[in-house]
C-alpha cells in the first residue's frame, strides 16, 4: 500500500506515468471508470477551492464517490485519537485525502490508516499541486527536459514539493529566487522536522536577473500562506520578487507564468501578468482534476 504525502514518495517513473496518462486521457477524452464504487474520504483542516472540487469530481468521474469531512464535525483529536479515527475511516473508505495544518498529522494518519493517504496540502508540502504544474509545463513546452523553472518568493509548501520534484531527476532545472530571511526560515523548518533536502540540482539565491533571463517558467505562490499573518516589513522585503510585466520581460520571450492559486494581484503577481497572455493558471487549475484521477487510480491499484 502506497501513500502520497510527498513527491519523494514516488519515483520519477511513477510521476511521469501519472502525468503522461493524464495528458493522454485529457487529449483523447478517454474516461476510466476503474474506481467504480470506491469511496474517497476527504478531511479539511483548512479552506480549499481547487483541491476540494477537483478531488470530488475526480472520484465521481472515475465511478466512485466522495465523503467530505470537516475536521470540526469529527471527533478527531478531541474525543478520539487520530489513530482511532484513521482506523475507523479505513473501514468505510478506500482512500483518504487530507488537508492538514501540520504535516505530522498526515504522517500519523498514514501510520494508522489501512488505506492510502493523499496529502491535499500540509504546512510542509503540496505534492498534488506539483503533479498538475508539471503536467501543464509538459503540455506547453513538450517535455520537462531542459526546462528552466524560476520560483519567486518564500519557499512555501508548493515550492517544497517542486524542490522534491527537481531532486527526482525529472529533467528540469529549478532556481529559487528567495530572500535570505525566508531561506533561513526554510532551513530551520526542515531541521525542526528532521527532513533533509538535497540542493545539488537546485540554485537557491536571492533575486538573480541573470537566471531570470534564462527562465522558461515563472512560478510563484501567495506570500502569506493560510494561517500566516500579513506583515508590512515582509511585504517590503518581497516587493522586488513580485512578478510584474517588467519581470516577465526579462525572462525568455516564450516564457509562461504559473501560480498554484489563490493569488494576490497586489503582491506576488500583477493583474497584467496573471490575466495576461503568458499566464496559463486556469489550465494549471484544470489539470488538478486530470492528474488527480490518475493519482487515485495509481494508489487504488
Ligand atoms: N492550489 C490549491 O490547492 O488551491 P485550493 O487551496 O483552492 O485547494
Ligand atoms: N502556500 C499556500 C498554497 C495554497 C494552495 C498556502 O499554504 O496557503
Amino acid at each position: 500500500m502506497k501513500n502520497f504525502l510527498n513527491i519523494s514518495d514516488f519515483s520519477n517513473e511513477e510521476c511521469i506515468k501519472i502525468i503522461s496518462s493524464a495528458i493522454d486521457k485529457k487529449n483523447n477524452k478517454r474516461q476510466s471508470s476503474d474506481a467504480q464504487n470506491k469511496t474517497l474520504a476527504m478531511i479539511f483542516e483548512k479552506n480549499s477551492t481547487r483541491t476540494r472540487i477537483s478531488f470530488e469530481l475526480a472520484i465521481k468521474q472515475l465511478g466512485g464517490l466522495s465523503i467530505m469531512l470537516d475536521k470540526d464535525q469529527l471527533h478527531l483529536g478531541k474525543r478520539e485519537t487520530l489513530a482511532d479515527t484513521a482506523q475507523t475511516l479505513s473501514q468505510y473508505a478506500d482512500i483518504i485525502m487530507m488537508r492538514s495544518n501540520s504535516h505530522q498529522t498526515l504522517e500519523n494518519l498514514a501510520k494508522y490508516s489501512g488505506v492510502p493517504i493523499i496529502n491535499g496540502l500540509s504546512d510542509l508540502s503540496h505534492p498534488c499541486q506539483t503533479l498538475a504544474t508539471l503536467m501543464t509545463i509538459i503540455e506547453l513546452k513538450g517535455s520537462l527536459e531542459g526546462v528552466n523553472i524560476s520560483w519567486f518568493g518564500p519557499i512555501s509548501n508548493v515550492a517544497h514539493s517542486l524542490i522534491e520534484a527537481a531532486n527526482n531527476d525529472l529533467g528540469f532545472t529549478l532556481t529559487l529566487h528567495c530572500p535570505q530571511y525566508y531561506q533561513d526560515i526554510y532551513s530551520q523548518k526542515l531541521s525542526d522536522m528532521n527532513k533533509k533536502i538535497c540542493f545539488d540540482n537546485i540554485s537557491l539565491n536571492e533575486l538573480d536577473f541573470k537566471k531570470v533571463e534564462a527562465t522558461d517558467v515563472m512560478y510563484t505562490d501567495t506570500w502569506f500562506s493560510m494561517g500566516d499573518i500579513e506583515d508590512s516589513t515582509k511585504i517590503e522585503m518581497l516587493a522586488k520578487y513580485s512578478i510584474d510585466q517588467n519581470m516577465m520581460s526579462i525572462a525568455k520571450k516564450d516564457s509562461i507564468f504559473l501560480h498554484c492559486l489563490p493569488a494576490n494581484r497586489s503582491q506576488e503577481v500583477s493583474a497584467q501578468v496573471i490575466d495576461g497572455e503568458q499566464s496559463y493558471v486556469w489550465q494549471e487549475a484544470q489539470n488538478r482534476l486530470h492528474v488527480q484521477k490518475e493519482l487515485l487510480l495509481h494508489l487504488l491499484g
Side-chain angles (χ1 to χ4, degrees), residues 84-123:
D84 286 358
T85 301
Q87 293 189 73
T88 304
L89 288 179
S90 309
Q91 310 307 312
Y92 305 121
D94 299 286
I95 189 158
I96 299 169
M97 189 278 292
M98 181 170 191
R99 170 164 288 195
S100 174
N101 288 318
S102 150
H103 195 79
Q104 186 63 53
T105 305
L106 275 163
E107 287 183 349
N108 290 340
L109 190 67
K111 189 166 159 196
Y112 297 108
S113 169
V115 299
I117 303 294
I118 297 173
N119 175 1
L121 181 147
S122 70
D123 58 332

Side-chain angles (χ1 to χ4, degrees), residues 47-52 99 121 126 129 226 260-262 288:
N47 292 348
S48 165
T49 300
R50 281 144 289 269
T51 305
R52 175 182 171 174
R99 170 164 288 195
L121 181 147
H126 197 3
Q129 181 63 51
M226 284 178 271
C260 55
L261 304 173
R288 293 289 303 276

Side-chain angles (χ1 to χ4, degrees), residues 19 23 26 129-144 217 256-259 279-288 291:
I19 295 170
I23 294 176
K26 179 183 172 185
Q129 181 63 51
T130 299
L131 290 179
T133 299
L134 296 180
M135 172 175 172
T136 312
I137 297 171
I138 294 174
E139 286 180 322
L140 294 165
K141 297 286 176 192
S143 93
L144 294 173
V217 181
I256 57 169
F257 172 78
L258 297 178
H259 192 305
S279 171
Y280 290 88
V281 296
W282 309 123
Q283 182 172 333
E284 186 184 14
Q286 188 196 105
N287 284 340
R288 293 289 303 276
V291 89

Side-chain angles (χ1 to χ4, degrees), residues 194-258:
N194 230 342
K195 307 264 178 224
K196 284 212 164 54
I197 281 286
C198 164
F199 278 95
D200 289 353
N201 296 325
I202 297 159
S203 304
L204 176 57
N205 41 257
E206 295 207 323
L207 190 55
D208 181 339
F209 288 112
K210 264 263 138 316
K211 289 186 173 135
V212 178
E213 279 172 22
T215 298
D216 301 289
V217 181
M218 305 282 277
Y219 194 21
T220 189
D221 183 4
T222 176
W223 290 343
F224 301 97
S225 283
M226 284 178 271
D228 290 350
I229 295 162
E230 277 210 22
D231 168 325
S232 56
T233 318
K234 289 178 182 161
I235 294 175
E236 218 170 283
M237 182 198 306
L238 287 162
K240 65 179 182 188
Y241 292 81
S242 177
I243 306 184
D244 57 11
Q245 214 44 59
N246 183 46
M247 188 75 94
M248 285 304 289
S249 71
I250 297 168
K252 285 188 186 170
K253 282 257 160 320
D254 62 350
S255 63
I256 57 169
F257 172 78
L258 297 178

